[in-house]
Amino acid sequence: MPAGSLGNIAQPADQAFLVKEGRGSKLYDFSGNEYIDYLLGSGPMVLGHAHPAVVSAVREAAERGSTYFHNNWPAVELAEEIIRAAPCAEQVRFTTSGTDATFQCLRLARAYRKRDKVLKFEGGFHGMHDYSHVSLSPRPDQLGAFPAGAATSGGIPRAVLDTVLVAPYNDLDRTAAIVEQHRDELAAVIVEPFQRILTPAAGFLEGLRELTLRHDIPLVFDEVVTGFRLAYGGAQEYYGVTPDLAAYGKIVGGGYPLAAVAGRAGLMRYLDAAAVDADSFIPQIGTLSGNPVAAAAGLATLAELRKPGAYQQLHATGRRLMDGLHHALNEAEIPHYISGEPVNFDVYFTSHPVTDYRSGLDNNSKLTARFNQGLLQRNVYKPSQKFYIALAHTEEDITHTIRAFHETAQEMRHDSL
Ligand SMILES: Cc1ncc(COP(=O)(O)O)c(C=O)c1O
């Protein structure tokens, strides 16, 4: 395995562990350690690990066969549920990963617009395809003048760099100027409505909606993280802005390989050979698309999330942790900015608000590493740049985590980082 890992998490050797199992809010390693898990599989495990309702749905589905490549009942039911949940969803097409879902959204927009260019935001993450790797996490020496982007991976074709325009998140005026200038070349605007842990400024998403409608440019929301997390209807419901297309992943597959494209029928029709001309039709095929076991896991997960109080609980848990973190860092007199929504947040070690990719660049990454390490030493696992909250997080988990915040912050106060 290159780098000795799956590629997802780079843990220093002295902190590395191998997961043996996950149950509820906890992960267990092979040395008998138990961790309160705030990674949650990078988001899908919103109910916690091995939730009984999901395990039993998966067991039942698996006994009927693992995959068919054919229309099947759990997939149809899940498509119907996404349409009930998501304001933009008139039709649904399944993929296996969030990467493929955002990629298909861009292709749909190009088929509709008969133009090539797409606009994304600096620091916006849409998976691992070439378009997403334009200015995903540019180094300071790669930051140029908008809308030029930089390749943040090896192997990105020059042609793709020329196809993607990059704008600063939360800056409607600059985005509008780029869109106006390139409106005749643009096929799509794609955005994480809540970009990583950056919340949209008042009017930003509404402005994007108005701007894209004015020029008939499809607006794509990447809801891979936010779908069924911020609210049952995702960012669209939470922020009250409806895009033309949305990409789903993570929670919608209940921890199994499933993702989806949802959107207005007028765009989704390009996936139907009978509805469009032969040159515009998009054949979209996937061996595991609409996998029945994953769809059953997704349906069982969504059924739990529809129970009264689920989202109140998720937000309340996250709010208490955000407040506890703020208090711990204040007490230790460590400059910080806590960013995000209660269900998904993290801390920047900086002394000013962060509103876009560039304003987050002076985060003290040594302090971030030190903070994550201090938490891990106290069996609180938050390896990447954000806390994910689950319904499985208990009162005890919250108390333990807030204690870990205080102890770690007090240790950091005496470090000279
Ligand atoms: C916002 C966003 N979009 C797309 C993706 C890609 O999803 P996947 O890892 O399923 O390809 C991710 C993954 O973390 C994501 O956070």
Side-chain angles (χ1 to χ4, degrees):
M1 297 166 81
S5 84
L6 301 173
N8 292 341
I9 300 281
Q11 267 190 315
D14 60 333
Q15 295 170 34
F17 63 91
L18 205 55
V19 174
K20 185 179 176 203
E21 60 184 305
R23 260 179 285 124
S25 60
K26 309 292 189 311
L27 281 184
Y28 300 86
D29 70 14
F30 280 88
S31 309
N33 296 308
E34 175 185 286
Y35 305 93
I36 303 173
D37 185 14
Y38 290 102
L39 175 61
L40 299 173
S42 187
M45 310 317 298
V46 67
L47 307 181
H49 297 281
H51 188 281
V54 179
V55 171
S56 115
V58 163
R59 191 170 284 145
E60 204 179 296
E63 279 172 3
R64 297 167 200 263
S66 305
T67 197
Y68 317 122
F69 198 77
H70 197 93
N71 287 347
N72 64 81
W73 187 240
V76 171
E77 265 197 291
L78 185 58
E80 286 177 348
E81 193 51 45
I82 295 170
I83 288 167
R84 273 192 287 274
C88 81
E90 292 173 352
Q91 294 190 337
V92 168
R93 175 58 68 83
F94 291 110
T95 66
T96 319
S97 70
T99 295
D100 195 13
T102 63
F103 178 80
Q104 298 296 338
C105 286
L106 297 179
R107 184 175 282 166
L108 275 168
R110 283 201 301 272
Y112 168 73
R113 284 275 292 171
K114 311 281 185 278
R115 287 149 167 109
D116 287 351
K117 294 199 176 177
V118 299
L119 182 142
K120 80 179 281 283
F121 292 90
E122 191 171 63
F125 186 100
H126 305 296
M128 290 289 103
H129 52 69
D130 291 347
Y131 304 97
S132 178
H133 263 301
V134 180
S135 294
L136 195 171
S137 49
R139 300 182 309 266
D141 63 290
Q142 289 182 305
L143 300 176
F146 297 109
T152 50
S153 161
I156 306 300
R158 179 72 239 175
V160 170
L161 282 176
D162 294 339
T163 304
V164 179
L165 306 174
V166 179
Y169 181 74
N170 268 338
D171 188 335
L172 188 59
D173 289 346
R174 284 165 93 180
T175 306
I178 296 168
V179 169
E180 296 291 348
Q181 195 185 340
H182 296 272
R183 60 177 186 255
D184 294 332
E185 306 166 289
L186 267 175
V189 170
I190 184 167
V191 64
E192 284 185 88
F194 163 55
Q195 183 174 298
R196 312 283 72 205
I197 50 167
L198 302 174
T199 51
F204 177 65
L205 295 177
E206 292 82 351
L208 281 186
R209 179 65 287 188
E210 197 271 323
L211 180 67
T212 46
L213 270 179
R214 196 180 330 135
H215 300 299
D216 191 31
I217 299 168
L219 177 64
V220 181
F221 272 11
D222 181 342
E223 292 246 34
V224 171
V225 168
T226 52
F228 301 98
R229 171 163 286 282
L230 286 177
Y232 196 70
Q236 300 170 45
E237 175 189 326
Y238 194 72
Y239 297 124
V241 175
T242 305
D244 301 296
L245 289 168
Y248 290 84
K250 300 192 190 270
I251 289 175
V252 79
Y256 289 78
L258 184 141
V261 174
R264 288 199 291 111
L267 286 157
M268 299 296 288
R269 64 201 279 272
Y270 289 87
L271 295 164
D272 178 355
V276 293
D277 63 89
D279 287 341
S280 304
F281 167 59
I282 300 173
Q284 186 271 334
I285 295 166
T287 301
L288 294 179
S289 291
N291 176 269
V293 181
L299 281 166
T301 301
L302 301 193
E304 293 299 312
L305 291 171
R306 284 195 301 279
K307 290 186 176 166
Y311 287 91
Q312 284 89 330
Q313 185 188 326
L314 270 184
H315 282 264
T317 300
R319 175 56 60 201
R320 285 175 62 193
L321 290 170
M322 281 174 108
D323 291 347
L325 179 54
H326 184 55
H327 188 229
L329 293 169
N330 259 355
E331 243 181 30
E333 295 174 350
I334 298 171
H336 64 278
Y337 177 72
I338 294 172
S339 182
E341 300 286 0
V343 294
N344 217 186
F345 63 91
D346 207 355
V347 54
Y348 286 96
F349 291 101
T350 181
S351 43
H352 55 79
V354 178
T355 55
D356 60 8
Y357 180 77
R358 293 188 188 193
S359 57
L361 277 179
D362 68 353
N363 173 56
N364 184 330
S365 56
K366 282 188 186 156
L367 286 184
T368 300
R370 178 68 188 84
F371 175 66
N372 292 350
Q373 180 204 18
L375 295 185
L376 188 68
Q377 282 165 346
R378 292 166 177 84
N379 300 79
V380 173
Y381 184 50
K382 193 280 292 184
S384 53
Q385 299 290 38
K386 51 185 165 179
F387 285 84
Y388 277 105
I389 304 302
L391 286 173
H393 286 129
T394 62
E395 200 52 46
E396 227 185 349
D397 293 337
I398 300 172
T399 310
H400 180 100
T401 304
I402 292 176
R403 195 179 320 122
F405 289 160
H406 278 274
E407 290 174 8
T408 303
Q410 288 304 322
E411 272 179 11
M412 288 166 69
R413 173 187 217 161
H414 302 297
D415 289 345
S416 52
L417 287 172

